[in-house]
């Protein structure tokens, strides 16, 4: 080793060939910086922002505040709501700590049923590996028919998020991510990758739950045949529960096994109990949070994938009007 790489031999052919081999053998990570990846960013749709805003205002104008009390948040298992005794009924709060609805925390028996389902679930759908047609029809209904509901519920619960901009970004980003999933499934058919279809956990964020949790984490996994377990929150829980509830109903209309989506309305310790007992039977836990919280979650569930925040970086090769507008 010392003979081959000493100063007197650095320019010989043996060293040059060895150096080239080491460079050539560097492996690129899957799909990174490939032409196939780049092609997914073409033909981005233009959102109808005026309609999004109009639909959201109409929804808010007609919203019945009592509805979140009369129809409490609860766990959902195999498409059924798990109600509980009055002793398990809690008041939910928005981001300003103001009461805004009711929630049933799961009972011990329900927690046991939820855990067993996650550990043993097998879909009854024969085409479970590819649910793109059904899930994408549902997705379009969320982006159009129910866009006002998504924006409005988040506004009511989180109180300070620009839900219109979020849905605008979703319309564009979802187009890209659908193409990425198309490529992924194609590569699985060709034997290039193997998609593990264990249930995944989705830990909802309060401010971008429509874009990140509903579309990116839940629908994109579901269309690949991956079951999703949505985790409840200790506050601002109403809006993410409402899209889960609607999603399960739309899945039933599409003939998808509702057992593919489970909702955990549980105390934090019970959620930790369930996740810690699923480290072998479940897949990744997806979350968006601070680095400190991500570290804490990972200590209980090692297979955690977390987006831990900024800075948001824009890289461009040229100065254009679009770039200028983006950084204003």
């Amino acid at each position: 080793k010392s003979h081959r790489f000493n100063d007197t031999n650095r320019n010989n052919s043996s060293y040059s060939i060895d150096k080239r081999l080491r460079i050539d053998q560097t492996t690129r990570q899957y799909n990174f910086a490939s032409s196939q990846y780049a092609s997914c960013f073409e033909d981005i749709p233009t959102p109808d922002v005026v309609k999004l805003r109009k639909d959201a205002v109409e929804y808010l104008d007609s919203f019945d505040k009592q509805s979140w009390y009369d129809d409490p948040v609860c766990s959902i298992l195999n498409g059924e709501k798990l109600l509980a005794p009055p002793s398990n009924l809690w008041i939910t709060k928005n981001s300003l700590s103001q009461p805004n609805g009711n929630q049933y925390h799961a009972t011990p028996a329900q927690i046991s049923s939820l855990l067993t389902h996650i550990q043993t679930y097998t879909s009854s759908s024969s085409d479970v590996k590819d649910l793109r047609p059904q899930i994408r029809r549902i997705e379009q209904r969320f982006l159009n028919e129910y866009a006002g509901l998504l924006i409005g519920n988040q506004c009511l619960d989180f109180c300070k998020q620009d839900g219109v901009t979020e849905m605008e970004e979703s319309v564009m980003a979802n187009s890209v991510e659908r193409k990425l999933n198309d490529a992924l499934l194609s590569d699985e058919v060709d034997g290039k990758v193997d998609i593990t279809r264990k249930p995944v956990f989705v830990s909802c964020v309060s401010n971008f739950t429509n874009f990140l949790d509903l579309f990116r984490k839940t629908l994109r996994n579901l269309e690949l045949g991956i079951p999703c377990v949505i985790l409840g929150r200790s506050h601002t829980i109403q809006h993410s529960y409402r899209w889960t509830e609607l999603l399960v109903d739309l899945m039933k209309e599409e003939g998808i096994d509702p057992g593919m989506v489970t909702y955990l309305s549980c105390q934090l310790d019970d959620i930790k109990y369930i996740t810690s007992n699923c480290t072998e039977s479940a897949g990744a836990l997806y979350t968006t949070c601070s680095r400190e919280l991500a570290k804490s979650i990972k200590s209980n569930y090692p297979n955690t994938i977390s987006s831990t925040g900024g800075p948001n970086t824009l890289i461009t090769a040229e100065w254009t009007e679009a770039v200028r507008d983006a950084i204003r």
Side-chain angles (χ1 to χ4, degrees):
K1 181 178 179 181
S2 60
H3 171 73
R4 287 191 62 194
F5 295 102
N6 62 29
D7 289 339
T8 59
N9 289 305
R10 283 190 180 277
N11 294 321
N12 66 25
S13 59
S14 175
Y15 174 77
S16 299
I17 293 172
D18 181 80
K19 184 178 180 181
R20 268 200 315 275
L21 285 173
R22 283 187 283 120
I23 293 174
D24 292 345
Q25 290 170 356
T26 300
T27 303
R28 182 177 66 194
Q29 294 299 312
Y30 174 73
N31 220 10
F32 178 72
S34 65
S35 58
Q36 295 91 335
Y37 178 83
S39 68
C40 294
F41 291 82
E42 299 172 355
D43 301 321
I44 305 300
T46 301
D48 188 344
V49 179
V50 173
K51 185 177 186 304
L52 289 173
R53 186 177 294 108
K54 176 177 176 293
D55 290 349
V57 171
E58 288 180 355
Y59 176 81
L60 290 168
D61 285 343
S62 62
F63 180 74
D64 178 7
K65 293 182 180 180
Q66 186 62 34
S67 64
W68 286 0
Y69 290 91
D70 296 341
D71 180 19
V73 173
C74 63
S75 296
I76 299 176
L77 177 62
N78 287 318
E80 300 296 327
K81 295 182 178 181
L82 303 185
L83 304 182
S87 59
N88 280 47
L89 188 65
W90 293 72
I91 297 293
T92 61
K93 295 184 179 181
N94 63 20
S95 63
L96 303 178
S97 297
Q98 298 168 334
N100 67 348
N102 285 330
Q103 173 187 11
Y104 283 117
H105 283 148
T107 66
Q110 291 169 346
I111 290 168
S112 178
S113 297
L114 292 162
L115 175 59
T116 299
H117 175 79
I118 298 167
Q119 291 175 328
T120 62
Y121 175 72
T122 301
S123 174
S124 61
S125 301
S126 59
D127 57 346
V128 70
K129 287 190 174 183
D130 185 359
L131 293 172
R132 284 176 295 174
Q134 302 97 310
I135 293 298
R136 291 182 183 183
R137 284 193 292 268
I138 292 174
E139 180 180 11
Q140 289 308 308
R141 294 185 70 180
F142 273 121
L143 290 172
N144 294 280
E145 182 180 350
Y146 295 111
L149 176 146
L150 294 177
I151 297 169
N153 282 347
Q154 187 183 65
C155 179
L156 291 163
D157 204 17
F158 189 61
C159 303
K160 52 187 176 182
Q161 173 67 29
D162 180 5
V164 174
T165 298
E166 179 187 2
M167 290 299 292
E168 178 185 3
E169 293 174 350
S170 295
V171 169
M172 296 184 287
N174 290 6
S175 171
V176 174
E177 292 169 9
R178 285 193 294 268
K179 296 169 190 172
L180 290 172
N181 262 8
D182 291 341
L184 182 61
L185 274 174
S186 177
D187 281 347
E188 183 184 41
V189 171
D190 293 341
K192 297 177 182 179
V193 297
D194 180 29
I195 300 174
T196 301
R197 290 179 170 83
K198 294 180 178 180
V200 298
F201 293 104
V202 177
S203 176
C204 293
V205 68
S206 58
N207 62 331
F208 247 60
T209 190
N210 297 326
F211 181 6
L212 298 178
D213 303 324
L214 169 56
F215 295 116
R216 176 171 292 172
K217 298 172 187 175
T218 301
L219 294 190
R220 295 285 77 82
N221 274 296
L222 284 174
E223 69 178 7
L224 298 177
I226 301 172
C228 294
V229 182
I230 316 301
L231 306 182
R233 296 174 50 81
S234 58
H235 62 87
T236 59
I237 190 176
Q238 286 285 349
H239 62 300
S240 54
Y241 170 76
R242 299 301 161 184
W243 64 246
T244 304
E245 180 184 34
L246 177 56
L247 172 59
V248 171
D249 289 340
L250 295 177
M251 288 170 59
K252 292 177 182 178
E253 292 182 19
E254 288 287 347
I256 300 174
D257 181 1
M260 290 281 291
V261 169
T262 303
Y263 188 86
L264 303 186
S265 176
C266 304
Q267 303 261 25
L268 179 58
D269 286 345
D270 293 328
I271 288 178
K272 288 182 176 180
Y273 168 76
I274 290 174
T275 55
S276 65
N277 281 279
C278 292
T279 54
E280 298 298 325
S281 53
L285 186 157
Y286 296 101
T287 186
T288 303
C289 59
S290 67
R291 294 180 184 276
E292 291 77 15
L293 181 55
K295 183 177 180 180
S296 175
I297 294 172
K298 195 172 181 66
S299 68
N300 182 69
Y301 197 84
N303 191 11
T304 294
I305 299 176
S306 176
S307 171
T308 53
N312 293 319
T313 304
L314 175 66
I315 299 175
T316 180
E318 57 181 331
W319 180 259
T320 65
E321 289 187 7
V323 171
R324 181 199 63 195
D325 292 341
I327 64 175
R328 278 180 173 174

